[in-house]
Amino acid sequence: MPQRLSRRRFLSQTAGLGCTLAASPVLTPVTFAAAPWETRLVVIILRGGMDALDVIQPYGDPDYAALRRTLKGGPESGAADLDGFYALHPALMPLRPLWDRAELGFVHAVSTPYRDKRSHFDGQDLLEAGTAGLDGRTDGWLNRLLQTVPGAGPRTAFALGRDDMKLLRGPAGVSNWSPEANLVMSPQAERLAGLVMQEDPLFHTALNEALDLSRAEMGGTRLADQMDEGIDEKMAPMTMPKPQKGRMHRQIAAFAARQLRGDTRVASFSINGWDTHSRQKAGLRAALGRLAETILEVQTGVGPDVWSKTAIVALTEFGRTVRENGTGGTDHGTGGAMVLAGGAIRGGRVQGHWPGLKEADLYARRDLMPTADVRAQVAWILRDVAGLDQTTLENTIFPGVDMGANPKLLR
């Protein structure tokens, strides 16, 4: 007797039909809704602990040069002077025109409440949860944002790439996409899927959405090109994600830009490769190059009108030690920096209270002292992006955070 093909059975067997389901509108409720606000928000997680002192180099600090003897910074080492105190790492020079137009900015000496244990995984969990401690919470602050605004649907926000974007986890529906996740089905398989799901309007609509999404991306990516970049999935939870090779970061940025031209208002993904314990010169240069290309790809992809309404926020789980180690690198630290870009950003400035680099001014006599909570900075950005009130931001989105004075990071 033929076995009835249920929706669950179809989903479990679609791999045999040449179908991958990582284009997860199939797995999430899809209800189209009007875009809830105009400003586009792109949140990039810089996994590995970016060395803020090498990215935005405080060469004007009298103690800086002695701490960075081989990782020398400042204009004499090829960095671009920004304001007489800070200099921009040479690898970010492609972004200098954005700085000159006040569309690129930084906030220095910020951090989450995470202290002392120096675990990438715990640091990232705290950054993406937006909470004060690791209390087992599994939802993320971007998902809580979506839960509080009217009109948000799954296409309002995209989690992009192969990394798990915990900041978008939660009850609010979001969409997922990765360059290697095309939903490829034969015409016969599409008809079969439609037949199986015809009595379930929710899944039927979701399937069509996933197919439309995949078709739109077909031709721009060869699956075979991506397979050799694969990560051992069993090892992924135990190791830091590897830097993306090739053009994957640009593919993700280009996809994000296409969505942001439409109803999508939030896109989030990771750029890996910031854990620079050794040979930092080469590693950081490569990572910053990917970051610059990503930002410029978004700018080009969204076009001038949407770019004027776009805020890109790049965050990392912690900073690094102010002193070099013996292998040309730096170790896990505390205070870091935010990178901001976009036409909606009030840029051309390095914001934040600079704590100084004398040993007595350092955190634990080894790290840049954090002088602001990165969650408060992001909260002010969310207030201006989505129009949320301060009470909701301090009690719901980032529970317990004190937003303090408005740093006015957006125009």
Side-chain angles (χ1 to χ4, degrees):
M1 179 179 179
Q3 187 173 9
R4 184 173 180 270
L5 183 59
S6 65
R7 185 181 65 200
R8 179 182 297 277
R9 183 175 173 78
F10 168 80
L11 291 174
S12 69
Q13 292 186 346
T14 43
L17 298 172
C19 170
T20 61
L21 294 174
S24 68
V26 168
L27 303 176
T28 56
V30 174
T31 53
F32 290 97
W37 60 78
E38 276 299 308
T39 304
R40 278 68 167 176
L41 176 65
V42 180
V43 181
I44 305 173
I45 302 297
L46 308 176
R47 299 189 189 279
M50 181 184 75
D51 180 18
L53 296 182
D54 211 354
V55 178
I56 312 103
Q57 302 162 356
Y59 77 95
D61 188 294
D63 295 293
Y64 173 73
L67 293 164
R68 297 295 176 108
R69 295 182 178 178
T70 64
L71 296 174
K72 292 179 180 178
E76 293 183 357
S77 299
D81 179 45
L82 294 177
D83 57 7
F85 186 85
Y86 294 108
L88 189 67
H89 191 286
L92 290 181
M93 277 303 292
L95 301 182
R96 181 59 191 259
L98 299 183
W99 173 269
D100 293 338
R101 293 200 299 271
E103 295 178 350
L104 176 71
F106 306 91
V107 185
H108 227 314
V110 293
S111 77
T112 69
Y114 185 64
R115 296 290 184 273
D116 299 330
K117 295 182 180 179
R118 306 180 192 279
S119 160
H120 290 298
F121 310 105
D122 289 348
Q124 289 170 25
D125 284 351
L126 203 65
L127 174 65
E128 298 188 66
T131 53
L134 295 168
D135 55 0
R137 191 157 188 163
T138 57
D139 59 341
W141 53 267
L142 265 180
N143 196 281
R144 294 196 291 274
L145 164 72
L146 296 172
Q147 295 172 50
T148 59
V149 294
R155 286 296 294 269
T156 300
F158 267 84
L160 303 174
R162 55 165 68 113
D163 293 330
D164 181 14
M165 303 305 299
K166 295 179 180 176
L167 74 173
L168 273 167
R169 277 187 185 175
V174 302
S175 296
N176 296 269
W177 181 83
S178 180
E180 66 270 59
N182 286 321
L183 180 60
V184 181
M185 300 179 73
S186 68
Q188 294 82 358
E190 286 190 27
R191 284 196 293 274
L192 176 61
L195 181 65
V196 170
M197 298 182 182
Q198 64 181 354
E199 296 181 358
D200 190 328
L202 184 63
F203 267 72
H204 196 268
T205 302
L207 172 67
N208 289 333
E209 167 65 6
L211 286 168
D212 289 344
L213 188 61
S214 183
R215 289 182 189 120
E217 297 308 310
M218 290 295 288
T221 303
R222 291 181 63 246
L223 183 61
D225 290 341
Q226 308 299 334
M227 295 302 290
D228 59 354
E229 299 175 9
I231 294 175
D232 185 336
E233 298 295 338
K234 294 180 181 178
M235 292 297 293
M238 298 180 287
T239 58
M240 279 298 297
K242 297 177 181 177
Q244 297 94 337
K245 297 178 182 177
R247 293 169 47 84
M248 184 175 289
H249 61 287
R250 298 185 67 168
Q251 292 170 349
I252 290 173
F255 178 87
R258 288 195 290 277
Q259 306 311 311
L260 294 169
R261 288 202 305 265
D263 283 343
T264 297
R265 292 295 179 267
V266 176
S268 185
F269 51 91
S270 301
I271 297 178
N272 304 324
W274 306 89
D275 194 15
T276 51
H277 288 284
S278 63
R279 302 180 65 238
Q280 179 165 308
K281 279 186 178 180
L284 188 63
R285 178 177 291 275
L288 288 173
R290 290 190 292 273
L291 176 60
E293 289 177 348
T294 298
I295 291 172
L296 294 176
E297 190 76 45
V298 172
Q299 180 192 23
T300 300
V302 297
D305 180 57
V306 173
W307 178 252
S308 70
K309 306 167 189 170
T310 297
I312 299 175
V313 181
L315 307 166
T316 191
E317 65 264 31
F318 44 60
R320 307 193 73 84
T321 52
V322 299
R323 297 180 183 85
E324 297 178 29
N325 60 28
T327 58
T330 53
D331 298 317
H332 299 174
T334 307
M338 301 170 61
V339 181
L340 308 172
I345 291 293
R346 190 187 300 272
R349 305 174 298 170
V350 179
Q351 299 230 85
H353 175 67
W354 182 246
L357 294 175
K358 295 185 182 304
E359 185 167 341
D361 295 327
L362 303 181
Y363 180 81
R365 295 185 176 272
R366 54 168 279 169
D367 303 337
L368 181 66
M369 179 69 77
T371 57
D373 189 329
V374 70
R375 299 174 302 157
Q377 309 296 307
V378 176
W380 282 111
I381 291 174
L382 296 188
R383 192 200 70 150
D384 293 341
V385 165
L388 298 182
D389 62 82
Q390 190 166 341
T391 300
T392 300
L393 287 160
E394 292 182 335
N395 294 338
T396 303
I397 311 299
F398 297 106
V401 75
D402 179 358
M403 291 172 62
N406 186 355
K408 299 180 180 177
L409 299 175
L410 299 193
R411 298 180 191 274

